[in-house]
Amino acid sequence: MAQSRRSKTAGRRNGRSSISRTGSRYEDNRRSGRNNSRARRKKRNNLMRELLPVILLLLVVVCLAGTLLLYHKGQSRIPDVTVDLEQLDSPCAILMDRETGTILADKRGEERMYPASLTKIMTVLTALDECSDLKQTVTLSYDYFQELYDQDASRAGFEPGEEARIIDLMYGAMLPSGAECCKELALQFAGSETDFVSLMNQYAEKLGLSDTHFMNCTGLHDADQYSTAKDIASLLREALKNETFYEIITSKSYYVPPSTVHPDGFVFYGTMFKNMSDPSVAGGSILGGKTGYTNEAGHCLASFAEVDGRDYILVTGGIADAPRSEQYHIDDAFRAYGQISNGNE
């Protein structure tokens, strides 16, 4: 019996001893693991400290390379062309690169001139900015037609009381330069021409057209309505970003759907393309434009063309002293755009 108790006691001691040894080994392993982990972290940190200057140097090199690449890419976007606008009959002219807005050639481009119907670029762009439904049908007012008759203003062909869609009026304002279309757009989107003109001037200010001021939406002469070739070029560049405007200004003609006044509908034609037998120029073609004329403004033209795969904007205006042709604004466009391809060689 005594021997059995001693055996049990010895067993418990041996068991505690075994557990103690196991626990000790576990603690040793934990300490060893911690030590190894610290060693690995220390090694990794040392490696990072060694690599950090190299990484920073690589980042600086990449940033510099990227900056130089963007700089040279930006520089290459500006075409190196030589165009002599002094050859034009128009006293005021600006040639602009459409992509960058860079002025490539200038002939009294910041001199004030009367914009005549180039005003309608702003009229349509302002209407587009206010419009939510291009297919909305409206009835043309009787209020302004007598005024337009008295002033012998150009009209698209709509009659008082006739129904037309907003998009029809926009094409009518731009292609045949219809004053009745401008008047109706003003009424529809501002309630009066005066309030609509305020919107036009606000838009001009927003675009930074610092030497432009509108008094009406038609371009009929007003001594206080003025702009510059440079401002109008900037305006056209902005307008061309609008897809609907782009479609309008590049159209040679437009079919107006039937109405009670015109049961068969009718077609009007763009005043610029109507005076061009062929819009081709050396290396490209004239894509679209808006003409303008009053006795006080002379012949004006805001156009754009693609030459050698790149778009250019040309604005000409003012009364020519001794023009070589009656349509000198059209001929000036060919003279200017025709020089670009040769200047790129």
Side-chain angles (χ1 to χ4, degrees):
M1 181 69 84
Q3 185 177 1
S4 177
R5 290 197 195 95
R6 285 196 296 269
S7 297
K8 290 180 182 180
T9 302
R12 284 195 296 270
R13 288 173 181 167
N14 290 337
R16 285 195 296 271
S17 177
S18 176
I19 292 172
S20 177
R21 286 195 297 273
T22 301
S24 178
R25 284 197 299 271
Y26 174 73
E27 287 297 323
D28 290 343
N29 290 337
R30 284 186 61 188
R31 293 191 190 95
S32 176
R34 285 196 296 270
N35 291 336
N36 290 337
S37 178
R38 291 193 191 98
R40 285 194 297 270
R41 282 198 300 271
K42 185 176 180 181
K43 184 177 181 180
R44 187 167 59 247
N45 292 339
N46 290 337
L47 181 61
M48 286 299 295
R49 277 193 289 269
E50 293 174 1
L51 292 176
L52 186 59
V54 178
I55 294 171
L56 291 175
L57 180 60
L58 287 173
L59 287 173
V60 170
V61 170
V62 169
C63 290
L64 287 174
T67 301
L68 289 172
L69 181 63
L70 288 174
Y71 173 77
H72 287 299
K73 186 178 180 181
Q75 291 294 98
S76 66
R77 284 203 303 267
I78 302 174
D80 183 16
V81 299
T82 302
V83 175
D84 181 12
L85 297 182
E86 295 299 327
Q87 298 180 19
L88 310 188
D89 288 338
S90 300
C92 300
I94 279 285
L95 180 68
M96 175 185 286
D97 176 55
R98 182 189 165 196
E99 181 183 349
T100 63
T102 303
I103 302 299
L104 303 174
D106 184 346
K107 178 186 178 184
R108 295 163 60 184
E110 296 186 55
E111 183 175 303
R112 283 187 181 180
M113 65 182 202
Y114 296 124
S117 285
L118 302 189
T119 298
K120 290 165 180 149
I121 297 173
M122 179 60 89
T123 300
V124 172
L125 184 59
T126 302
L128 282 168
D129 194 53
E130 297 292 320
C131 183
S132 60
D133 182 7
L134 291 170
K135 296 183 179 180
Q136 177 189 350
T137 299
V138 300
T139 302
L140 275 76
S141 172
Y142 285 80
D143 295 343
Y144 46 76
F145 273 86
Q146 189 58 52
E147 174 194 345
L148 299 181
Y149 298 150
D150 293 342
Q151 293 180 303
D152 195 26
S154 60
R155 295 189 298 115
F158 293 103
E159 298 295 340
E162 183 172 5
E163 290 189 344
R165 299 175 304 172
I166 294 295
I167 188 64
D168 302 332
L169 298 176
M170 290 181 175
Y171 272 93
M174 288 296 294
L175 269 60
S177 209
E180 81 276 28
C181 301
C182 299
K183 291 278 194 177
E184 191 59 44
L185 289 171
L187 291 181
Q188 291 298 322
F189 293 112
S192 71
E193 183 176 15
T194 300
D195 289 342
F196 187 80
V197 170
S198 293
L199 294 177
M200 293 169 62
N201 284 319
Q202 289 171 26
Y203 210 137
E205 184 177 356
K206 175 183 174 183
L207 296 179
L209 309 183
S210 58
D211 216 0
T212 294
H213 184 257
F214 298 107
M215 293 295 292
N216 61 58
C217 64
T218 59
L220 291 168
H221 181 68
D222 188 300
D224 292 324
Q225 179 149 301
Y226 54 83
S227 189
T228 66
K230 182 180 179 181
D231 275 5
I232 293 171
S234 297
L235 171 61
L236 179 56
R237 179 172 179 254
E238 179 67 23
L240 290 172
K241 297 175 184 177
N242 185 291
E243 292 182 5
T244 301
F245 185 93
Y246 187 96
E247 290 175 6
I248 293 172
I249 200 173
T250 55
S251 298
K252 295 182 179 180
S253 63
Y254 181 78
Y255 172 71
V256 180
S259 68
T260 54
V261 179
H262 295 94
D264 296 325
F266 65 102
V267 178
F268 40 61
Y269 299 89
T271 55
M272 185 193 74
F273 286 118
K274 188 170 63 175
N275 291 298
M276 289 181 180
S277 57
D278 182 1
S280 298
V281 296
S285 178
I286 298 175
L287 301 178
K290 179 73 191 77
T291 61
Y293 174 80
T294 63
N295 291 332
E296 298 83 0
H299 285 287
C300 311
L301 177 61
S303 64
F304 73 108
E306 181 184 21
V307 180
D308 295 337
R310 193 176 189 87
D311 283 1
Y312 300 87
I313 291 171
L314 175 72
V315 176
T316 60
I319 301 174
D321 291 332
R324 284 163 279 186
S325 65
E326 183 179 352
Q327 302 293 320
Y328 61 87
H329 56 323
I330 301 292
D331 292 338
D332 278 349
F334 284 100
R335 292 187 188 105
Y337 291 129
Q339 298 178 56
I340 295 174
S341 189
N342 293 331
N344 274 323
E345 291 179 353

